[in-house]
Amino acid sequence: MSVTRRTGWFLAAASVVATVAYGFACAPASKQAAGTIGAADAASKVYVAPGQKDEFYAFLSGGFSGQVGVYGLPSGRLLKIVPVFSQFPENGYGYSEETKPMLETSFGNIPWDDLHHTALSQTNGEDDGRWLFVNANNTPRIGRVNLATFETEEILQIPNSGGNHGSPFITSNTEYTIASTRFSLPIPQADVPIADYKKAFKGTISFVKASEPGKMDVAFQLLVPGYDYDLARAGKGPSKDWMFFTSYNSEQAYEKLEVNASKADKDFIAAVNWKSLEACATAGKGELWPANYAHNVMDEFTRVATTEFKKQVRVLTPASCPNSIYFLPTPKSPHGADVDPSGEYIVAGGKLATVIPVHSFAKIQKAIADKAFETAVDGIPVLKYDAILAGEVKDPGLGPLHTEFDGKGYAYTSLFISSEVVKWKLGTWEIVDRAPTYYSIGHLMIPGGATTKPSGKYLVAMNKITKDRYLPTGPELAQSAQLYDISGEKMKLLLDFPTVGEPHYANAILASKVQAIQKKFYSIADNKHPMATKSEPETGVSRSGKVVHVRMTAIRSHFSPDNIEGVQVGDTVLFHITNLEQDWDIPHGFAIQGATNAELLIMPGETRTLKWVPKALGVYPMYCTDFCSALHQEMQGYVRVSPVGSSVPLMANTVKAQGQAARAEKFKH
Ligand SMILES: [Cu+2]
């Protein structure tokens, strides 16, 4: 479905609702609140002694930072920030010429997005530690982070979507990662009055092929009624061919949603049989619609990202693929839809509901077979609530949002308004414990809590309000997560830890699964970057019109060349720097005075390019920004910039540009 290829330079609810919005609970900050244990006991449970390592990697979405924070659990220590949808000056992501295409979209190069949810790749319903998928909310996209390198290697834009909130949840063998549109839109986009919402606006649910790196693609989209689609989960076990999507605004309001989208007693979970849709798509059902969406891939060997614009997408409708989607009535403005480890129970978090409804997959199947339909919406059968209900958790608290599972028969639901986690028993629906959060929890996460094999040891609460938990830092306070011990009967609060950006969802995985696959450096022999320089004699400078290419190497503790002359004001200077090190954790950095982008951080064996356009004559220092050796401070050099038309020859150290080709040839090995 690809047509054009773009490359870089070298290749390139009235009162209730008001309570939701403003009425977060302010629990008293007592010395030892309910649900906590003695400080010494708590400390010993999160203490990771010097030289010891954490048991879990936790990947917390960075919200409006557009990045992912990687933390160790139980310590809560920040290990790394992985930039995905935002530029990151710390390592040059989105600034270097090789990584700029990663942020390319049909709207142009976008330096920021809002990253909400994470999903680890799965094999047979278990986290396998290969990849982390993340969503961009504002400009709909899904990114893939390789957990061998902790780098973003692929980003796919999602067409026909506005607000990619229900994403990137994943099927149990990583067949598909999904994307549902929060905002319904005229699809395809059109100039229509907003008041025509009910008639002209639609939602989409997209299934993105995820199993092969570098080959993400929208396999098919399902056109659905113009509601707001919120969150989703794949089934597992008996329900593994299904995906469950919450929706709200079945009222189809387009103004003052806080009132107008909160009127109906029930909205819907859309139960979608993706196997059935897949069969329809394979059979050529539906239509191919014109589209324009970017697919950005970082090549494994050149380490250069390229952008391909895809021009078509297969669109299915409920009518073109019958028996593939059903609506499950669910009270009230549901937010989370979570599936228990057995795959039988689908738990909804109705933001405005007074119960936590739990649907039964077996009953859903029976209701479909029996045609126990209440009605139909746009040809989509609405199943009878009583026919599919497994049970309701009564009086859970206010504002149930999300549920995770411990694999021991219990579920844990976050309650935003009453600011707590409730623990309840699957099957009997009785509440067995409550623990306050500080404050106003959104998502919660148990390592493996969304899989068939949760680790019932810890629970992380990701809170929306911090208030008095940390030293104040001006008008914006630290973002906050909290760690609970859930290994016993009662939840115990162990630790507060601040996070980078606003954490929405997160995943955590046993560290051993990710440690085992770590890449220590990129092989210099395998470096296929077109401007790679694999030895110092091959370094040098060359001019092509107003463009000066500098082929440079970095190794402890010098750049080669370290003196460049003959650059002129207004030239575009491209520093292609290859890090010749072949050892773990020896990146070199590169910065030059007056560069208007970022530094570069170049991993061992990798080539990265910084673009610099000097605006005034003079001599400009450059240096390594990453402390690399005892003589790191000596790792420096100069670039002389002369006026336009100057007779100063282009030289790398004392070697003139013209002599370099022959020199490089002589030393080539
Ligand atoms: Cu260095």
Side-chain angles (χ1 to χ4, degrees):
M1 291 189 182
S2 58
V3 174
T4 55
R5 178 173 282 272
R6 265 186 50 175
T7 55
W9 45 268
F10 36 65
L11 318 164
S15 66
V16 181
V17 173
T19 316
V20 176
Y22 307 112
F24 61 82
C26 297
S30 59
K31 279 268 187 287
Q32 191 175 318
T36 61
I37 55 175
D41 281 351
S44 71
K45 284 180 187 291
V46 302
Y47 181 66
V48 177
Q52 301 297 304
K53 298 182 183 75
D54 280 291
E55 187 180 354
F56 295 95
Y57 283 100
F59 304 94
L60 273 66
S61 95
F64 45 71
S65 79
Q67 299 158 340
V68 176
V70 185
Y71 302 79
L73 294 182
S75 73
R77 296 180 297 190
L78 175 65
L79 303 176
K80 193 179 182 76
I81 296 170
V82 180
V84 184
F85 300 115
S86 293
Q87 290 176 322
F88 194 47
E90 183 180 312
N91 66 7
Y93 179 82
Y95 292 97
S96 67
E97 298 306 304
E98 289 80 1
T99 56
K100 277 178 183 171
M102 293 304 289
L103 301 179
E104 202 61 50
T105 74
S106 64
F107 301 95
N109 195 283
I110 295 185
W112 169 88
D113 213 315
D114 185 15
L115 188 160
H116 273 235
H117 309 121
T118 59
L120 286 164
S121 56
Q122 294 186 6
T123 302
N124 296 326
E126 288 183 54
D127 293 329
D128 60 28
R130 289 180 293 167
W131 307 304
L132 181 75
F133 294 89
V134 290
N135 70 325
N137 217 15
N138 184 52
T139 302
R141 284 172 289 172
I142 294 176
R144 180 203 305 267
V145 175
N146 182 342
L147 293 182
T149 59
F150 284 72
E151 295 200 18
T152 305
E153 297 199 333
E154 188 172 9
I155 293 178
L156 180 74
Q157 192 180 352
I158 310 295
N160 298 328
S161 175
N164 181 35
H165 192 262
S167 183
F169 305 100
I170 203 150
T171 56
S172 58
N173 279 299
T174 317
E175 296 96 336
Y176 296 100
T177 171
I178 59 94
S180 59
T181 186
R182 171 179 165 192
F183 307 106
S184 283
L185 298 168
I187 294 175
Q189 272 288 14
D191 173 20
V192 299
I194 296 169
D196 287 356
Y197 185 101
K198 282 192 185 182
K199 190 172 68 187
F201 286 46
K202 290 280 182 198
T204 53
I205 290 170
S206 304
F207 287 80
V208 173
K209 276 188 204 157
S211 58
E212 278 187 83
K215 298 193 173 161
M216 281 164 72
D217 196 5
V218 181
F220 44 88
Q221 292 190 309
L222 180 64
L223 215 53
V224 286
Y227 306 156
D228 288 53
Y229 294 84
D230 206 358
L231 284 161
R233 275 292 180 210
K236 44 185 84 101
S239 57
K240 72 177 168 45
D241 296 346
W242 293 70
M243 184 73 89
F244 303 93
F245 299 83
T246 56
S247 67
Y248 60 99
N249 192 20
S250 56
E251 298 87 349
Q252 296 189 279
Y254 56 87
E255 58 186 353
K256 298 190 179 66
L257 262 65
E258 68 170 329
V259 176
N260 294 328
S262 304
K263 290 181 171 162
D265 284 339
K266 292 190 176 70
D267 295 279
F268 301 118
I269 288 178
V272 176
N273 185 329
W274 61 261
K275 274 278 189 191
S276 159
L277 291 174
E278 186 182 57
C280 287
T282 305
K285 300 275 174 62
E287 290 175 355
L288 287 171
W289 285 14
N292 185 33
Y293 54 108
H295 180 217
N296 309 325
V297 180
M298 177 64 70
D299 183 87
E300 186 184 348
F301 297 108
T302 62
R303 307 280 307 137
V304 176
T306 52
T307 298
E308 176 188 0
F309 280 95
K310 293 172 179 275
K311 297 293 185 185
Q312 279 183 321
V313 65
R314 181 168 297 280
V315 179
L316 299 166
T317 59
S320 70
C321 193
N323 309 318
S324 58
I325 176 169
Y326 299 88
F327 277 144
L328 319 179
T330 303
K332 170 173 186 173
S333 297
H335 188 54
D338 296 290
V339 182
D340 87 303
S342 77
E344 164 62 9
Y345 297 124
I346 299 111
V347 182
K351 305 188 277 277
L352 306 175
T354 54
V355 297
I356 300 171
V358 183
H359 299 304
S360 153
F361 182 71
K363 287 186 174 182
I364 291 168
Q365 296 308 299
K366 186 168 186 310
I368 293 170
D370 294 348
K371 299 201 179 334
F373 305 148
E374 240 167 49
T375 179
V377 179
D378 290 4
I380 300 169
V382 179
L383 304 182
K384 287 184 175 155
Y385 182 69
D386 291 339
I388 59 172
L389 192 71
E392 290 175 338
V393 180
K394 309 281 190 200
D395 303 316
L398 298 176
L401 294 182
H402 303 282
T403 301
E404 293 246 319
F405 307 91
D406 65 3
K408 296 180 283 193
Y410 294 95
Y412 300 72
T413 300
S414 59
L415 291 116
F416 176 79
I417 300 172
S418 53
S419 192
E420 60 188 329
V421 177
V422 293
K423 175 180 177 180
W424 51 273
K425 196 167 168 46
L426 286 159
T428 69
W429 326 117
E430 64 192 314
I431 290 170
V432 296
D433 192 24
R434 299 175 176 275
T437 62
Y438 305 95
Y439 304 96
S440 297
I441 179 174
H443 280 271
L444 47 65
M445 179 272 283
I446 292 171
T451 72
T452 56
K453 295 264 171 60
S455 155
K457 199 165 178 182
Y458 299 111
L459 180 151
V460 175
M462 286 157 278
N463 303 315
K464 296 301 176 196
I465 308 289
T466 310
K467 302 269 299 174
D468 52 7
R469 301 301 285 187
Y470 302 100
L471 289 172
T473 51
E476 191 200 13
L477 300 175
Q479 302 286 342
S480 182
Q482 293 184 293
L483 183 75
Y484 292 78
D485 177 352
I486 57 163
S487 61
E489 224 174 279
K490 298 284 177 193
M491 293 177 271
K492 292 168 187 159
L493 176 58
L494 299 177
L495 180 72
D496 286 12
F497 62 100
T499 68
V500 176
E502 184 190 15
H504 292 266
Y505 190 50
N507 287 103
I509 184 170
L510 264 181
S512 55
K513 289 193 179 182
V514 173
Q515 271 173 302
I517 60 162
Q518 290 306 291
K519 190 173 189 79
K520 295 180 175 166
F521 53 84
Y522 295 101
S523 158
I524 196 88
D526 292 342
N527 181 334
K528 298 207 162 46
H529 190 293
M531 288 293 184
T533 310
K534 300 193 178 183
S535 69
E536 289 188 8
E538 294 171 57
T539 62
V541 288
S542 62
R543 175 181 287 282
S544 163
K546 294 282 283 174
V547 178
V548 173
H549 290 280
V550 180
R551 296 176 68 137
M552 189 182 269
T553 56
I555 193 163
R556 283 163 291 182
S557 299
H558 59 276
F559 292 110
S560 177
D562 62 355
N563 275 209
I564 295 160
E565 302 193 25
V567 170
Q568 298 180 7
V569 172
D571 281 345
T572 295
V573 185
L574 295 163
F575 296 94
H576 312 284
I577 304 161
T578 302
N579 180 346
L580 295 178
E581 308 279 357
Q582 291 286 272
D583 201 356
W584 203 1
D585 194 31
I586 312 287
H588 288 290
F590 177 80
I592 184 156
Q593 191 179 38
T596 53
N597 37 22
E599 64 151 349
L600 292 180
L601 204 59
I602 312 138
M603 296 305 126
E606 190 182 55
T607 305
R608 284 282 174 263
T609 299
L610 185 119
K611 182 166 124 181
W612 178 58
V613 181
K615 293 189 176 69
L617 58 81
V619 177
Y620 293 84
M622 58 191 186
Y623 71 104
C624 173
T625 52
D626 189 343
F627 203 106
C628 54
S629 69
L631 297 176
H632 160 77
Q633 204 69 351
E634 280 70 16
M635 195 161 173
Q636 66 167 56
Y638 293 102
V639 179
R640 176 183 169 189
V641 177
S642 303
V644 178
S646 159
S647 61
V648 177
L650 188 64
M651 293 194 293
N653 293 99
T654 54
V655 183
K656 289 187 184 166
Q658 295 90 322
Q660 280 163 10
R663 190 182 68 133
E665 207 47 53
K666 186 172 157 201
F667 286 97
K668 216 157 201 168
H669 47 259

